[in-house]
Amino acid sequence: MKTIKTTILVAIMAFFAMAANAQMQDPVHFTVTQKQVSPTEVDVIFTGKIDAGWHVYSTGLPADGPISATINTEKAEGAKADGKLKAQGKEINKFDKLFDMTLRYFENNVTFIQRYKVTGKTYNIKGYLEYGACNDQNCMPPTSVEFDFKGEGPKDAPEAKEEKKNEEVEDPAALAANLTDGANADSLKNATDSVTTAAVAPLDSTEVNSLWKPVIKELQAFNGEDHKDRSLLYIFLMGLLGGLVALFTPCVWPIIPMTVSFFLKRAKDDKKKGIKDAITYGISIVVIYLALGLAITAIFGASALNALSTNAIFNIFFCLLLVVFALSFFGWFELTLPASWTNKVDSKASSTSGLLSIFLMAFTLSLVSFSCTGPIIGFLLVDFATSGNFWGPAIGMFGFALALALPFTLFAMFPTWLKKAPKSGGWMNIIKVTLGFIELAFALKFFSVADLAYGWRLLDREVFLCLWIVIFGALGLYLIGKLKFQSDWEGGEMDKPMPVVCIMLGLVSIAFAIYMVPGLWGAPCKAVSAFAPPMNTQDFNLYKAEVVEAKYKNYEEGMAAAKAMGKPVLVDFTGFGCVNCRKMEAAVWTDPAVANLLENDYVLISLFVDDKTPLPEQIIVTEENGQQRTLRTVGDKWSYLQRSKFGANAQPFYVALDNEGNPLTGSAVYDEDISKYVKFLEEGKKNFQK
């Protein structure tokens, strides 16, 4: 009996511990038109629709900030730019600690207008708008919207000639010739930036061709292997563990012996029939909860389930839901379904026979036990629904129901086991209260997502850690018997000493609370890094680690150096104005384990997609969608490399390669879970050594 109780409580702590791909994105859609304001004035109008969760930066941001919207006039015959680019829409102003400046941006929609003064009988204006866009996890590279308009000016105006470009408008540097036969590895190799780091033997054309070879399918295979299958297994195990915990609550455990005895007595001398009924009863439980999971999947759909994890409104709802569940487990009130539901199902079960009767009995169990299982099911469904996997709720509920149904079948097959099973008592209330603390802790995680999304700054990292220290400290005091709830008085357990296993787990909880204390002054606290807000939200930080800096900022040079040193490569697609890249560097790259891997085991190549250094010559390339695009800068070149070779276009984006440009593992994107990033680097290193 003591062994079973120990297993139960350890399972609860395991439940808490466990609860703890790259793709092309097109979040902004611009249309460009011209409007003749007067015979001598014409407006070029860029109208943008912005996807939910994304924002486009405004004009005139400081040079060391994110990518500002700028107009670049490449040709102006019979016209010249008149004034600066203007932005229209609801501009949002927000101070950003990373850039130490107020950032201005637009959500949902924005309009940019550039006015040109017509100076000739005819005019021809050609150029492009360049803008930057980000959401809470990714930033797009500088994106161009090209325009080429012709028209007529005043009849008495002189013949059109190319005007000198307005100095107030940002223009690219004069570049040499266009290569109109498409980009290839040789031309891209020659169009390198001016950054050099070390004398390394240059690569020949065959090696360069190999380095630029697309590996999109290989990368997708790695990503699919690493994420999808594992997440389904994780969801099933979480559901199974949740079902085991629910099994030992006061609403379920006492029902087991009564139900099994009922089946065995109803069958009288036919033991096989009793076992058959118990198995049918267990299968009915599985069907009921599996149907619940399928219903959640059908109601929300694949895309909605995937969006829930980052939707601020849903995260606030989940937070409040878990708080309600926690208070219920603490004994403040009891969550119950209407008694009429239970009475109707129970009377229907009594008046029928056969399989329908057994199914209705199982349905009665699900209704009667709701006050205990409801909060656990709610917690699990929140986790499953936000996993991003379409089948998550169904697989999770299958695991939950399997754990809940199995004892009814096993005890029916082996009735003598019932005598060895622990009797109902106060230990079940301990389980409920412990689950209450755990659900309260996870409620803060969901609130943190919404807080970061809206920028409220109500739950910065130190505030989050303070609350978790209090919650797990209180849990520890409860488990060692120094903190009591009303339900402990009602259960008659007030004066009884806590079991040894509870005291041991209580000490572990207190130790965990103490472990988080240095985090208030900036210690990494890697055990909670996946749950706590990012390090950059902390106001008071004594932990000042240097961010690892890449020695190579040229792809071919870095790959040549890696080949000479016999090391794998980590290619970091980043940007000077990439907000989320700076967040990753501050929160993850400063970790000692990550820094050691980047400095000693990898050759780090950082490719800045917004590097404005002009290429020696412009290059015209053909995109995946068949459209042509002009590469004008070093940043354009690296952005094209990311799209054409890896099939991704958002930053930050990390990929581990061997010396020939082949992926060693799946790609990594914005995720401040340090342990996951270390695992990503270790896996790439391990596969390289093979």
Side-chain angles (χ1 to χ4, degrees):
M1 178 175 165
K2 289 184 178 179
T3 304
I4 294 177
K5 289 182 180 179
T6 302
T7 304
I8 295 167
L9 289 168
V10 170
I12 293 174
M13 300 305 288
F15 174 70
F16 156 67
M18 285 185 67
N21 56 29
Q23 58 183 358
M24 298 292 287
Q25 300 189 55
D26 186 21
V28 185
H29 315 277
F30 269 102
T31 57
V32 56
T33 57
Q34 69 168 335
K35 180 182 178 181
Q36 192 87 26
V37 179
S38 71
T40 59
E41 292 176 316
V42 62
D43 285 346
V44 177
I45 304 171
F46 303 88
T47 305
K49 299 290 184 182
I50 308 169
D51 289 353
W54 287 82
H55 54 264
V56 170
Y57 291 103
S58 187
T59 60
L61 295 179
D64 53 349
I67 302 163
S68 300
T70 56
I71 193 76
N72 298 271
T73 305
E74 295 179 306
K75 183 178 183 181
E77 291 182 357
K80 63 178 180 180
D82 184 13
K84 296 182 178 180
L85 181 70
K86 296 180 180 179
Q88 292 182 356
K90 186 178 179 182
E91 190 177 72
I92 298 171
N93 292 263
K94 180 181 175 183
F95 183 79
D96 188 275
K97 288 177 62 178
L98 280 174
F99 287 97
D100 193 28
M101 66 177 67
T102 299
L103 301 183
R104 296 178 289 108
Y105 54 84
F106 298 89
E107 295 177 345
N108 301 319
N109 53 72
V110 63
T111 300
F112 294 110
I113 302 173
Q114 176 62 53
R115 177 159 294 183
Y116 288 89
K117 186 175 181 180
V118 179
T119 59
K121 287 183 178 181
T122 60
Y123 65 87
N124 183 5
I125 48 177
K126 180 181 179 182
Y128 60 95
L129 169 77
E130 188 174 68
Y131 67 91
C134 291
N135 65 4
D136 292 333
Q137 295 184 322
N138 301 308
C139 287
M140 301 298 293
T143 308
S144 301
V145 182
E146 298 188 358
F147 65 92
D148 187 354
F149 292 122
K150 297 178 180 179
E152 296 183 357
K155 293 182 179 180
D156 56 348
E159 292 295 328
K161 63 178 181 178
E162 188 161 356
E163 297 282 351
K164 186 178 179 181
K165 296 168 186 174
N166 194 323
E167 293 180 357
E168 292 183 333
V169 181
E170 184 174 333
D171 293 308
L175 299 172
N178 292 328
L179 297 180
T180 57
D181 57 348
N184 54 42
D186 292 327
S187 62
L188 289 167
K189 174 181 180 294
N190 294 329
T192 56
D193 62 352
S194 59
V195 179
T196 57
T197 53
V200 179
L203 302 173
D204 59 36
S205 60
T206 303
E207 290 173 313
V208 172
N209 281 328
S210 176
L211 293 180
W212 280 76
K213 180 185 67 177
V215 292
I216 298 172
K217 291 183 179 179
E218 293 89 335
L219 204 56
Q220 288 174 343
F222 272 120
N223 284 335
E225 228 176 73
D226 290 346
H227 300 292
K228 188 174 181 180
D229 295 340
R230 187 187 306 161
S231 64
L232 280 177
L233 178 62
Y234 161 80
I235 289 170
F236 174 76
L237 293 176
M238 276 290 294
L240 194 70
L241 192 55
L244 288 173
V245 173
L247 192 64
F248 297 107
T249 56
C251 312
V252 179
W253 187 255
I255 298 176
I256 295 176
M258 292 189 296
T259 305
V260 172
S261 299
F262 169 78
F263 286 133
L264 293 177
K265 287 179 181 178
R266 190 169 78 165
K268 296 181 180 179
D269 297 329
D270 191 353
K271 185 180 178 181
K272 289 184 178 180
K273 187 178 185 304
I275 295 174
K276 180 182 176 182
D277 288 347
I279 292 174
T280 305
Y281 185 77
I283 293 174
S284 299
I285 293 174
V286 173
V287 170
I288 290 168
Y289 286 105
L290 181 59
L292 175 62
L294 289 172
I296 294 294
T297 300
I299 291 170
F300 287 99
S303 59
L305 288 178
N306 190 52
L308 287 180
S309 59
T310 55
N311 186 285
I313 296 176
F314 271 105
N315 275 278
I316 294 173
F317 173 75
F318 293 153
C319 168
L320 296 175
L321 192 66
L322 291 183
V323 170
V324 170
F325 289 159
L327 295 178
S328 171
F329 274 153
F330 289 153
W332 191 359
F333 53 84
E334 190 171 280
L335 289 172
T336 57
L337 295 173
S340 58
W341 293 12
T342 307
N343 294 335
K344 287 181 181 179
V345 176
D346 191 36
S347 61
K348 190 70 175 176
S350 302
S351 61
T352 56
S353 59
L355 293 177
L356 181 59
S357 174
I358 296 173
F359 179 82
L360 290 173
M361 287 180 62
F363 196 58
T364 303
L365 169 70
S366 64
L367 297 178
V368 171
S369 62
F370 179 80
S371 60
C372 292
T373 60
I376 299 174
I377 293 171
F379 174 77
L380 291 173
L381 282 176
V382 166
D383 186 50
F384 302 155
T386 57
S387 68
N389 197 302
F390 178 74
W391 294 107
I395 297 296
M397 283 297 97
F398 175 72
F400 178 87
L402 192 64
L404 203 63
L406 204 56
F408 292 96
T409 302
L410 292 177
F411 284 134
M413 295 174 65
F414 308 100
T416 54
W417 288 8
L418 278 172
K419 297 178 182 179
K420 300 179 182 179
K423 305 298 180 184
S424 302
W427 60 273
M428 292 186 295
N429 185 67
I430 295 174
I431 292 175
K432 281 186 63 177
V433 173
T434 301
L435 286 174
F437 279 110
I438 292 172
E439 295 209 340
L440 196 60
F442 277 94
L444 294 175
K445 169 58 180 173
F446 288 105
F447 184 78
S448 174
V449 173
D451 183 63
L452 290 170
Y454 284 113
W456 294 330
R457 299 300 301 271
L458 298 175
L459 198 65
D460 287 352
R461 186 173 182 269
E462 60 265 46
V463 177
F464 182 94
L465 291 177
C466 277
L467 294 172
W468 264 39
I469 290 169
V470 171
I471 289 171
F472 286 98
L475 173 59
L477 293 175
Y478 175 78
L479 290 174
I480 66 175
K482 298 300 181 181
L483 179 66
K484 296 293 182 180
F485 286 81
Q486 182 65 33
S487 53
D488 296 308
W489 288 94
E490 295 170 354
E493 302 289 325
M494 194 66 184
D495 299 325
K496 293 184 179 180
M498 299 295 279
V500 174
V501 66
C502 287
I503 294 174
M504 296 303 294
L505 291 175
L507 294 176
V508 169
S509 186
I510 292 173
F512 180 61
I514 296 173
Y515 161 80
M516 290 186 285
V517 170
L520 300 176
W521 290 274
C525 294
K526 289 186 283 186
V528 298
S529 61
F531 305 98
M535 188 73 75
N536 58 68
T537 65
Q538 184 142 339
D539 295 316
F540 184 64
N541 188 356
L542 297 178
Y543 181 78
K544 296 292 183 183
E546 294 295 326
V547 176
V548 179
E549 186 173 348
K551 294 180 180 179
Y552 297 92
K553 297 183 174 63
N554 178 286
Y555 177 58
E556 290 87 359
E557 287 182 4
M559 294 298 291
K563 189 171 185 177
M565 290 185 279
K567 288 184 177 183
V569 171
L570 181 72
V571 180
D572 160 37
F573 287 97
T574 183
F576 297 111
C578 174
V579 179
N580 300 304
C581 302
R582 301 295 86 76
K583 289 180 181 178
M584 278 292 290
E585 291 163 7
V588 179
W589 281 19
T590 54
D591 178 79
V594 174
N596 179 62
L597 284 165
L598 293 179
E599 290 178 331
N600 301 319
D601 298 313
Y602 278 88
V603 171
L604 177 61
I605 305 174
S606 289
L607 304 179
F608 290 82
V609 298
D610 55 357
D611 187 339
K612 298 299 183 184
T613 305
L615 292 172
E617 53 187 11
Q618 293 186 7
I619 303 168
I620 298 177
V621 297
T622 303
E623 300 278 10
E624 313 79 31
N625 55 13
Q627 294 182 347
Q628 288 190 334
R629 180 170 181 260
T630 302
L631 308 184
R632 300 176 175 88
T633 65
V634 170
D636 290 343
K637 175 186 174 182
W638 303 141
S639 180
Y640 176 69
L641 171 67
Q642 184 185 0
R643 294 194 310 278
S644 62
K645 183 175 178 66
F646 303 110
N649 65 340
Q651 294 77 45
F653 180 81
Y654 311 97
V655 60
L657 304 176
D658 63 16
N659 300 149
E660 296 180 355
N662 300 310
L664 295 168
T665 183
S667 58
V669 291
Y670 178 88
D671 189 339
E672 294 186 15
D673 185 343
I674 294 173
S675 61
K676 188 182 294 185
Y677 200 82
V678 169
K679 189 174 183 179
F680 157 70
L681 294 175
E682 290 283 8
E683 188 172 348
K685 174 185 171 184
K686 180 181 176 182
N687 290 338
F688 179 78
Q689 291 172 344
K690 289 180 181 179

